[in-house]
Amino acid sequence: MAIIKGMKDTLDAEVARFAQTPLKQPLLVNSIPKGGTHLLRNVLRMFVPVDQHHDRDFVQIPNMHQHLDAFDPNAPRLAAAHLLFSDQSLANIRFARHILLVRDPYDWVLARARFFVSDEFEQDNIQHLKTPGLFSAEALMNMMIFGVHQKSPALIDIYTHNAAAWLGTGVHLVRYEDLVAAVRDLDAPESERLIADLLTAAGIDRPDDWRERVVTGADRKKSRTARENLKLPEGLVFPDVLPEAQKALVEFHAPGLRTLLGYA
C-alpha cells in the first residue's frame, strides 16, 4: 500500500485571514496522481471556509466508501481526489461541481519519478527504487511510462481512467501548466480569465482580494510535495526537461494523448 507523507500544512490559519462565503454545492478537485493537485486545492481553499474543507485524505476508489460525506449536497465540502472514472464514482459525485486537473505527460513522467524515489512516498513493493546507484534516472523515467510490472500502473492506464474518461461529462478542465503560469503573473489578462473561469466552475463568487488569496494558497514553501522540497537518493539527478528518447517512448506508448489534453 502506498503512503504519502506530509499532507498536513499550515494553510488553515491563512484561510481565516479572509472573509469566506460557504459553498452551496459540493466541490471536487480531481486529478491524476502527481498532477499538481496540491496547488489547485490549496488555491481553492483560500476561497472556502475551513469547516468545509474535506481534508481527511485524497478520495480514491478503494477508500471512497469512507468519504461519501464529502459529496453530500446538504453539507457541501471541498474535496480533493485521484478518482477513477467508474459507475460508482459517477453516482457518488453526481451532486458535486467537478474540476479536473491534468498535466503534460512529458512533465508528469519526471514529477512522478522524483516523487517515487523521495522520502515523501512509501510503497512496500517498490521501496528498492530508492536504493542509491541501483537504477539510473533514465531507467526510472521508463518505469514511470511503462509501469513497474505487477507493482505500479503504466502512464496510459492512469491517464485513461483518471483523466481522459472524464472528458465530455461536464468537468471543468484545468491544465497544470496554465495554472502555474497564471500564478506567476496574476496581472496578465489570461491569468485573470483562468482564475475567473476556475472560480465560476467552483461556484465561488470572485472577491476583490482574489489575487492575494491565490498567492497565499500557491506558496510552494507550504507544499512538502513541491519539487524543491523533495529529498532524493544521493547521487540521483533528473533532468529539468524530459529527454528526447523518453518523449518518443511516451508517444509510442500513448499516441494522441497529449493532443487530446491540449498539449500538441
Side-chain angles (χ1 to χ4, degrees), residues 166-180:
W166 286 109
L167 299 178
T169 63
V171 300
H172 178 74
L173 183 67
V174 177
R175 282 181 285 269
Y176 171 74
E177 294 78 12
D178 295 340
L179 180 60
V180 170

Side-chain angles (χ1 to χ4, degrees), residues 140-217:
L140 290 165
M141 286 184 273
N142 283 14
M143 291 182 201
M144 299 304 105
I145 298 169
F146 296 103
V148 181
H149 184 58
Q150 296 184 338
K151 298 175 182 179
S152 181
L155 179 153
I156 189 60
D157 294 324
I158 293 174
Y159 271 84
T160 294
H161 301 292
N162 286 84
W166 286 109
L167 299 178
T169 63
V171 300
H172 178 74
L173 183 67
V174 177
R175 282 181 285 269
Y176 171 74
E177 294 78 12
D178 295 340
L179 180 60
V180 170
V183 167
R184 287 175 178 166
D185 184 8
L186 289 173
D187 291 325
E190 56 269 28
S191 301
E192 182 171 0
R193 186 161 50 250
L194 183 146
I195 299 299
D197 290 346
L198 173 64
L199 294 178
T200 296
I204 297 171
D205 293 330
R206 186 176 56 164
D208 293 337
D209 59 359
W210 66 271
R211 288 184 177 85
E212 183 182 357
R213 297 179 190 233
V214 171
V215 169
T216 302

Side-chain angles (χ1 to χ4, degrees), residues 8-138:
K8 297 297 182 181
D9 57 46
T10 60
L11 283 178
D12 283 356
E14 301 289 347
V15 177
R17 297 197 293 110
F18 303 104
Q20 302 292 348
T21 301
L23 292 174
K24 297 179 181 178
Q25 190 174 345
L27 174 57
L28 172 64
V29 175
N30 193 15
S31 74
I32 59 172
K34 291 313 298 171
T37 323
H38 282 85
L39 172 61
L40 180 55
R41 175 178 175 268
N42 287 347
V43 166
L44 287 172
R45 282 169 64 187
M46 297 300 108
F47 298 86
V48 178
V50 171
D51 61 4
Q52 287 190 315
H53 295 181
H54 184 86
D55 55 7
R56 296 200 305 269
D57 200 353
F58 279 87
V59 183
Q60 302 181 65
I61 288 291
N63 68 8
M64 196 168 194
H65 63 285
Q66 300 173 344
H67 297 275
L68 296 180
D69 57 318
F71 310 110
D72 182 352
N74 298 310
R77 300 176 75 84
L78 163 64
H82 299 316
L83 198 56
L84 299 173
F85 179 85
S86 73
D87 54 344
Q88 177 188 357
S89 302
L90 286 162
N92 288 339
I93 69 170
R94 65 190 184 279
F95 297 116
R97 290 175 175 267
H98 189 172
I99 297 173
L100 179 66
L101 180 69
V102 297
R103 188 170 190 165
D104 187 336
Y106 290 170
D107 293 333
W108 178 85
V109 169
L110 288 167
R112 190 187 189 210
R114 293 187 191 100
F115 187 63
F116 263 43
V117 298
S118 74
D119 285 351
E120 293 299 315
F121 181 79
E122 292 182 5
Q123 183 172 315
D124 291 343
N125 60 354
I126 56 174
Q127 283 296 99
H128 60 289
L129 298 186
K130 302 181 183 184
T131 304
L134 186 58
F135 299 107
S136 68
E138 291 77 13

